[in-house]
Amino acid sequence: MQVTAEKICSFSNPLSSPHEVNGSIYMVSENGDILIMNNELRIDTRMGGQPSSITIERDHIVIYIADMAHQAITYRQLNQLQSTNQNQEGAKDFVTEYEGMPFLGPNQIIISYININAIYFTDSGPFGETSVENPIGSVFMVDLDGQEIKPTALAYRCLAHPSGLALSHDEKNLFVSETCENRIIRFVLTNSGIYAFSVYHQFSGRFGPTALVISQSDFLYVARFEFSVGNQQDMGLISVLNPQGQLLENILIPGSPEITGMCFSIIKPTNLYLTDNSNGYNRLIKCVIPLEDKDEEKKKKDKDSYKVK
């Protein structure tokens, strides 16, 4: 089985966190811009700082931004982003600290609605801030319905560069890529309302997992990041895990070892959008993923069969 891939657009600065809204793809750039791709790429808002990811609430009214440079989660009205008015009000601080301690630098952010109306985010700081020798990264949750807006630590200063996030469709499982330990951590919402976490899948080879996304069949797609070394034929790698955490297959993306973000299209669920910054080519890429066969025995037989043309 083969998978097609094509470059949609490129930008002058590193890209991450693709997010589809009404057929348009929002992304953030390391230089502080929020971009939108719809027929053509344009700068929607110059945020300043260093936004590392965004999440947009379901009514498409509020956008939340994880800002690495400002060490904060900020927010603003999404309709301001869609306006051409250049005198827009800047983003406002949402959360900036945990129990009086500043964040290292929020990395990825995601929002949930089913079990609890909440925002989850990883706090890693830039590459090198947390590591195997210095595992001080965290995962936080903010209850949007709480009387007071403040973060709760699900894991505090114990992870080696926690980065990507994904929620299962029932939102009882939160997956976190712990990049420097080359593994996926799963947080489970128990019946008592607390979160327990353990290792969901341990990888070997490559630097470590970064971006995560859940498919319509509840399979976890994991971007296996590797530093590019100038060889444009270096392979990007996306591993697919079933709901039991077993590796089903690997998808190879030629020339894209530095995948930083992924999202499935809501309008066309077979379209997987990637942000990739390999060798300085900062691109948005679209991969067409065949509809998943829900017969897991068949998928096991077809393990490692995906390959991009």
Side-chain angles (χ1 to χ4, degrees):
M1 184 182 297
Q2 292 185 319
V3 179
T4 60
E6 64 174 306
K7 182 183 78 172
I8 303 300
C9 62
S10 59
F11 194 61
S12 57
N13 289 281
L15 301 170
S16 63
S17 192
H19 200 98
E20 186 188 66
V21 176
N22 296 329
S24 298
I25 303 297
Y26 285 85
M27 298 171 285
V28 298
S29 174
E30 193 175 88
N31 71 341
D33 294 335
I34 293 181
L35 310 170
I36 182 172
M37 178 63 197
N38 187 358
N39 297 322
E40 64 178 5
L41 181 67
R42 63 183 175 87
I43 298 173
D44 225 70
T45 304
R46 296 188 181 277
M47 298 294 298
Q50 187 181 340
S52 55
S53 70
I54 55 173
T55 191
I56 299 171
E57 54 81 49
R58 59 184 168 186
D59 294 326
H60 301 163
I61 296 175
V62 178
I63 182 171
Y64 295 90
I65 305 129
D67 193 313
M68 191 77 72
H70 290 151
Q71 297 174 281
I73 302 296
T74 62
Y75 73 100
R76 66 182 299 155
Q77 297 295 311
L78 182 62
N79 59 11
Q80 291 179 326
L81 295 176
Q82 297 171 334
S83 170
T84 57
N85 179 10
Q86 297 300 311
N87 297 315
Q88 297 175 5
E89 181 183 359
K92 299 177 181 179
D93 285 344
F94 183 65
V95 287
T96 60
E97 62 179 31
Y98 174 70
E99 295 187 347
M101 294 291 292
F103 299 128
L104 299 175
N107 189 320
Q108 298 293 307
I109 184 170
I110 195 169
I111 194 167
S112 71
Y113 301 103
I114 297 175
N115 291 298
I116 183 172
N117 187 21
I119 282 175
Y120 303 88
F121 63 96
T122 52
D123 184 38
S124 68
F127 263 132
E129 184 96 4
T130 63
S131 63
V132 174
E133 294 180 345
N134 188 37
I136 56 172
S138 305
V139 179
F140 293 103
M141 179 190 74
V142 181
D143 185 352
L144 297 177
D145 293 329
Q147 294 182 349
E148 184 180 359
I149 298 298
K150 64 178 183 179
T152 298
L154 304 186
Y156 185 59
R157 297 180 70 87
C158 62
L159 301 177
H161 200 85
S163 52
L165 292 169
L167 277 167
S168 60
H169 288 300
D170 62 9
E171 297 188 353
K172 293 182 179 180
N173 296 288
L174 173 69
F175 301 96
V176 178
S177 51
E178 189 180 6
T179 304
C180 291
E181 287 284 3
N182 208 2
R183 63 188 182 183
I184 304 298
I185 302 294
R186 181 181 65 152
F187 290 80
V188 180
L189 180 61
T190 65
N191 291 333
S192 59
I194 63 172
Y195 284 87
F197 71 97
S198 64
V199 176
Y200 184 68
H201 190 91
Q202 179 69 60
F203 292 104
S204 61
R206 301 218 157 208
F207 185 76
T210 48
L212 304 176
V213 68
I214 294 283
S215 73
Q216 62 179 359
S217 301
D218 241 7
F219 293 114
L220 181 65
Y221 284 63
V222 182
R224 306 275 304 283
F225 185 94
E226 183 68 288
F227 292 102
S228 56
V229 292
N231 183 354
Q232 296 185 15
Q233 297 305 312
D234 287 345
M235 288 291 181
L237 177 61
I238 299 172
S239 293
V240 184
L241 306 180
N242 67 11
Q244 289 72 46
Q246 299 167 321
L247 176 64
L248 296 181
E249 56 237 341
N250 290 314
I251 301 172
L252 299 176
I253 314 291
S256 301
E258 295 191 12
I259 296 171
T260 57
M262 300 189 292
C263 75
F264 275 103
S265 170
I266 298 173
I267 298 173
K268 295 181 178 180
T270 57
N271 288 352
L272 176 64
Y273 291 98
L274 317 172
T275 48
D276 166 62
N277 301 315
S278 303
N279 297 308
Y281 300 108
N282 311 307
R283 303 170 293 179
L284 175 67
I285 296 172
K286 180 179 75 174
C287 295
V288 180
I289 306 295
L291 289 175
E292 292 167 341
D293 191 328
K294 295 184 180 181
D295 182 350
E296 292 187 5
E297 290 302 317
K298 181 178 184 301
K299 291 184 72 67
K300 289 178 182 178
K301 293 179 182 179
D302 292 340
K303 183 178 177 181
D304 299 327
S305 62
Y306 283 153
K307 188 174 182 180
V308 174
K309 292 179 180 177

